[in-house]
Amino acid sequence: MKSLNLIFFLFFVISYTSISQENIDTIWTRQYFDIYDAVITPDGEKVIVAVDGSIHILDASNGEHIHTFEDTKTSNNEVFVSPDSKYLYSHDFIKWDLDSYEEIRRTVLEHPFYPSHMDLTSDGSKIYCSSNLEGTIENWAIIEISTSDMKEIKTTGYKVNLTGLELSNNDELLAVTSGIGTESTPLKYFIEVLNTETYEAMEELYNGDFEVDDMKFTNDSENLSYTTNGSLFIYNFSLNSNELILEKEISPNINYRTLQFYNNYMFINTLGLIQGKLFETDNFNELAVIPISMAEVHDFQSNKVLFGNKYYLYFYDLKNIINGISSIEIKNLRLLNDRIQFVSHETLTLLVFDYLGNEYMSVPIQPGNINIDLTNLEGGCYFITLNNGQSIQTIKFIRG
């Protein structure tokens, strides 16, 4: 055992609010191998799932299989659905009919292309795609394709490789991300916001050492949100400027896989923790921690939310998630060099687990002054969860 004078703790309270698994109404769950993307059609009737080498169409009401499109691209496969729910656009520039399930047309570009990310305009008339044109890291471009005939409209060269692309809901702004580095210089990551008419950069929003996990425009297109290194940043564009209006540490040193907006709510999902987070968008206060299994937020429609990880899709009732918000109240929290102390007013279960989810301790808690011995833990990163059967509070700490 280490001497106590060599032991120290760094801790962060991740959340005081959560909902229990019992409050989540699972409509259905499906299992696949290597899920790349999933969307709900705008009419709420179908779910589209892009997996390794194929695209599957499901009945949104029960998750039953309807149809499969075979022989699609096997990597980085994004799918988009037209606003009228009639057409499906796949990552390899194919347009499919969602009534007859026939291929309508595919794009044949005049040059070799290797698409990385895509987005569809709000009216469904155009696809924007970041692409490597020649199979080298030096030659990148943004390609515009008309969805009516799937023909290339415009190709605009870009200065560096593109790792992300996001179109605003009013189709006026295009946010792109990239990582730049050489053998002699360290890798740097950045975000630029471009005008879709001129492709001029309004300004570089981010330039740092940490990769951008995800970025999204708010529904009104006035704000761009992105996450990196456990923090949320929001820039405002409503006055033709790019003012930073919020910098919020969510969970230190935790990466976030996806960020999605729905009405007045924002969902963020963590990488490495079995939880997602729900925020309201008026002032971006955290409302809830959602106990989902390391899943990405894929899409929202008609008060339904579609979560997924590499192997499973989960279709939930969003109303039950929001209505299930509750909290745990503890007082006088102190994390010392060898123990955790607090005052509890209710019966709880305390669990300690590491970053990989391995459980080390399980302690029943009764109301009163609580003093938990932690000296048996080796140095490393741990998480303490407090569960009252309806809510979960999570605390991260690092023992040296």
Side-chain angles (χ1 to χ4, degrees), residues 189-213:
Y189 299 93
F190 74 85
I191 298 176
E192 276 191 340
V193 176
L194 312 176
N195 182 298
T196 54
E197 292 294 327
T198 63
Y199 284 97
E200 293 181 357
M202 297 183 63
E203 192 170 333
E204 191 174 79
L205 297 189
Y206 170 73
N207 189 324
D209 298 326
F210 299 99
E211 186 174 2
V212 177
D213 302 312

Side-chain angles (χ1 to χ4, degrees), residues 206-259:
Y206 170 73
N207 189 324
D209 298 326
F210 299 99
E211 186 174 2
V212 177
D213 302 312
D214 199 10
M215 61 180 179
K216 288 289 187 300
F217 284 97
T218 51
N219 295 331
D220 58 11
S221 300
E222 292 186 355
N223 303 308
L224 176 69
S225 303
Y226 69 89
T227 55
T228 181
N229 193 35
S231 293
L232 170 70
F233 298 85
I234 300 177
Y235 282 84
N236 181 266
F237 291 91
S238 60
L239 299 176
N240 295 320
S241 64
N242 56 342
E243 179 184 1
L244 178 64
I245 61 173
L246 179 69
E247 180 177 348
K248 185 182 185 70
E249 186 179 76
I250 308 171
S251 299
N253 303 316
I254 298 296
N255 292 327
Y256 287 83
R257 300 184 67 175
T258 55
L259 186 158

Side-chain angles (χ1 to χ4, degrees), residues 28 30 32 37-41 43 45-51 54-70 72 79-81 85-90 96-102 313:
W28 50 261
R30 292 279 298 191
Y32 289 99
D37 196 12
V39 297
I40 310 168
T41 56
D43 59 13
E45 294 184 358
K46 298 172 183 175
V47 170
I48 317 296
V49 189
V51 299
S54 60
I55 298 174
H56 299 267
I57 314 299
L58 309 179
D59 186 328
S61 65
N62 53 25
E64 293 297 321
H65 177 267
I66 299 175
H67 186 78
T68 298
F69 297 116
E70 301 286 358
T72 63
V79 287
F80 298 91
V81 178
S85 300
K86 291 183 178 180
Y87 304 110
L88 168 68
Y89 307 101
S90 63
W96 313 83
D97 190 303
L98 285 177
D99 290 325
S100 65
Y101 301 113
E102 294 180 353
L313 280 181

Side-chain angles (χ1 to χ4, degrees), residues 169-184:
N169 287 345
N170 61 10
D171 304 327
E172 295 178 358
L173 301 174
L174 188 68
V176 294
T177 61
S178 181
I180 305 174
T182 65
E183 293 182 359
S184 59

Side-chain angles (χ1 to χ4, degrees), residues 11 17 137 327:
F11 76 97
T17 56
I137 62 173
S327 64

Side-chain angles (χ1 to χ4, degrees), residues 97-116:
D97 190 303
L98 285 177
D99 290 325
S100 65
Y101 301 113
E102 294 180 353
E103 178 182 324
I104 299 176
R105 194 170 285 108
R106 65 177 65 204
T107 300
V108 178
L109 299 181
E110 297 178 356
H111 39 70
F113 68 97
Y114 302 86
S116 60

Side-chain angles (χ1 to χ4, degrees), residues 248 250 264-266 268 277-280 284-286:
K248 185 182 185 70
I250 308 171
N264 296 321
Y265 299 99
M266 178 181 71
I268 297 179
K277 292 198 173 186
L278 172 67
F279 297 81
E280 50 84 20
F284 292 93
N285 287 327
E286 183 177 321

